[in-house]
Amino acid sequence: MTHELPKAYDFKSTEQRIYAMWEAGGYFKPHNDPTKPGFDPNVEPFVISIPPPNVTGELHTGHAIFVSLEDLMIRYHRMKGYATLWVPGTDHAGIATQLMVERMLVREGTSREQIGREKFLERTWEWKHKYAGHITSQIRRLGASCDWDRERFTMDEGLSRAVREAFVRLYEKGLIYRGPRLINWSPGLKTAVSDLEVIYAEEPGTLYFFKYMLADGSGDFIPVATTRPETILGDTAVAVHPEDERYQKFVGRMVSVPMLGREIPVIADEYVARDFGTGALKITPGHDPNDYEIGHRHGLAMLSMLDKNARVNENGGPYAGLDRFEARKKLWDDMKAAGLVIREEPYTLNVPRSERGGEIVEPMISEQWFVRIAPLAEKGLMAVKNGDIKIVPEHFEKVYYNWLENIQDWCISRQLWWGHRIPVWYCADCGKQTCAREDPAACAHCGSTRIEQDPDVLDTWFSSGLWPFSTLGWPEQTPDLKYFYPTSYMETGYDILFFWVARMIMSGLEFTEQAPFHTVYLHGLVRDEHGQKMSKTKGNVVDPLTVMDDFGTDALRFTLLVGSTPGKDTNLSLKKVEANRNFANKLWNAGRFVITNIGQVEEKPAQPADWTLADSWIWARLQQLIRDVERLFQNFQYGQAGQNIYDFFWGDFADWYLEIAKGQMTEGGARAYTTAKTLARVLDISLRLLHPFTPFVTEEIWGHLRRALRESPLADLTADWPEVLIIARWPEPREPEGWEADKTADFTLLQDAIRAIRNLRAEKNVPPAKKLAATLSGGAKTGLLREQSAMIAALAALDPAGLTIVESLADKPENSAALVIGPVEIFLPLAEMVDPEAERARLGKELADAESQIARLEKLLSSDFANKAPAPVVAKEREKLAIYKETAEKINAQLN
RNA sequence: GGGCGCUUAGCUCAGUUGGUUAGAGCGUCUCGCUUACACCGAGAAGGUCGGGGGUUCGAGUCCCUCAGCGCCCACCA
């Protein structure tokens, strides 16, 4: 019986069903599992840790691309027989999640402060439980073949223990310290943020010039420029360049802080640029990173003039209580009135803003926890330099080096509530710190029970940095950790190379003494179809869920995977997705065709038919494809591999072989049997190759194919097939065999001939339904033409009965249009349509083309090329020359 | 200021050990409902591969240089 399949591929009814089938079948789990009986430690594992999405996040194109890529890597290795594990999970995303819950509270008319820490955390956990399944179900929809039984969350019990362990170890090694330092303070979020979380943006602003009056009442002054006048309130010096003649006389004298009257020294420091501004620099060590350095060099006071809300504090005298921007205006106005202002100039500033909150970040001195990063960075640097870790594409290695070579200590404390609390307790009696793996009951130093835990939590990236091993059970030496760690690839976006990848490498080396993965694959950003960054304000955001609704998951995945290169941004256009939806449909219909034909095979013949030229050709092409795909996969060129498969399937298999197979099937018997077998085998392998790209449609067709074969005389073809494609064996490449080149060359010649006939027909407007008679003169290829005459006739719409094939012609047929393809001459009797003059002109043009090619090749072959180029390259050119010569000769004969 | 990337057909992009007539999808034009598919088929038009120089028998591909665009890092008040 034949299977009745719908005319168009219906992804809607397929995807969910297939995914459920995979998951229920346990195919996402490693086939060799250290937690199960029968485990074989010698089977090689392949492991990816998912970049954990924010637990309450919403699917965006960034997720879509990483899931597509990682699922491709995972499916490929699974089919290759590795014990393949993709560990899923989510990140608690400290600031992002806390902000969302705070917003919810505001809507409820309350606030984080009002309900208190304990209640707030309760509410946040509730929120987490409510939304956590949301993002993971969206990830599933993309086809992600993760082992969901191993799903982890950065704040679950095990991972929290890992965080605690990591902190304590660093603390005990003296690699963690606490102290007042100049950090980036986000007044909106009321927390410190790391350097990486600050974004600089060019914005129009003002450069303010004013007078720093000498304190001696002489009326003399130093002109100074600043972009942030309010920080005058925190000035503790004025600096000039030591060799600046204008100001040397002031060095060592005192000047008076405007409106406050505080006296501060004039110092000399080479940091000051003589040619910028006035050449004199006000020094605010409490609110500027460079001034902080200078302050340290000169032993200046570190004065803070802002509080946590970025309001002026008691050090601001009359300005205390004002917001920083109000203070700026008021102070400047007052200075103007006092005659201290020189002028204002428009000036483009680089404004530091909080990546999350968006408000202007203030450098402030604050007590924070830091990781002494230098020793960790050194190891991280080495791991890539010595090749333990390879970064793809390679040029990101330089970026990585540059960052690690200039890295600053990492501020890991955040003044948030949602996160891993810092495991340090302060003693009210002896004042010392207790850092412990388990919550202590008493001070480790004096035994006092009057201890209190540090209120801060850790930077989210601290826990993410442990992800590849914490998710496998570390610090416990679990079977998973022993077998699956280190992981294999780390696939993620280049935008988090520093945030995440570098920190995972450093943490992995520090805590497990191994690189956490051997390969880092970085993908680019997904942009809109014109290469613009997607943003809500621009309104060009593409929602992957909508795209999947409209075109199917496979179409989205294929689009993201094909036509992109490692590390390069990808433009996502719906046109492309649509085209790939069409490709899925092409697969579907080719599959239908094959399945229908399998159904027409009545019995297994005693003697199978020999392969036709087309059979040989498609098989040779397929083998070449397998080789190419393997090579491209090894080089991480997934996009090119996908393109090659697409071209093969559509261009070779569907457009040519399927059309030829129609004819072969009608011959019935052994011919039909062999043809159906070839159709099935090529389809099978194509689906296997394509499965990592478009898992749903391939699985669905493959299932139908397998069933159809099993119910047919071709059942033995499926003898070693598993029940589902997802675990079918990956096609292994083999060396090309001798016959492949010859068969391919013959077939290509026929393709050229058929195309030439079609072309001429189109030019002359011959209706497709009109079957033309033709005379073919084949020379050395006469045998080939005779053998393939039925195929040629079918594909070129010739009349098989009117087809004459000869080795050579004494006279050119009358009233015919002539085509010459190397040794083959084709005459089409288009009497009424042929204008002899136009025909001569057309042939003349073709002759000229051939002759110019001959001239080009003869020149080439008589140059140094013939001596210096490799023999096969030269041979190829000689062959071309021979064909052109033959063509030219034939055309000449016809023109005379 | 330092570093990196990009510039190929009207649009969006492939093109990785340099091989000699540069590819795809979309768009455009002409035909066609040929028993898998109109989410299709056949055919066509369209590019001096940003400019200049160099290496080489040979350069879209390697080197230098210029221009434009983009990104990252640093942050001269």
Side-chain angles (χ1 to χ4, degrees), chain A residues 8 15 78 179 209 515-516 525 562 614 659 669 687 702 740 791 797 802 855 857:
Chain A
E15 291 177 0
R78 184 183 290 124
F209 292 78
L525 267 45
V562 170
E659 291 306 319
L687 292 174
W702 199 80
E740 293 182 14
M791 184 268 263
L857 287 165

Side-chain angles (χ1 to χ4, degrees), chain A residues 500-511:
Chain A
W500 194 41
V501 179
R503 283 163 180 171
M504 276 188 290
I505 294 174
M506 291 190 282
S507 301
L509 292 166
E510 174 66 24
F511 299 119

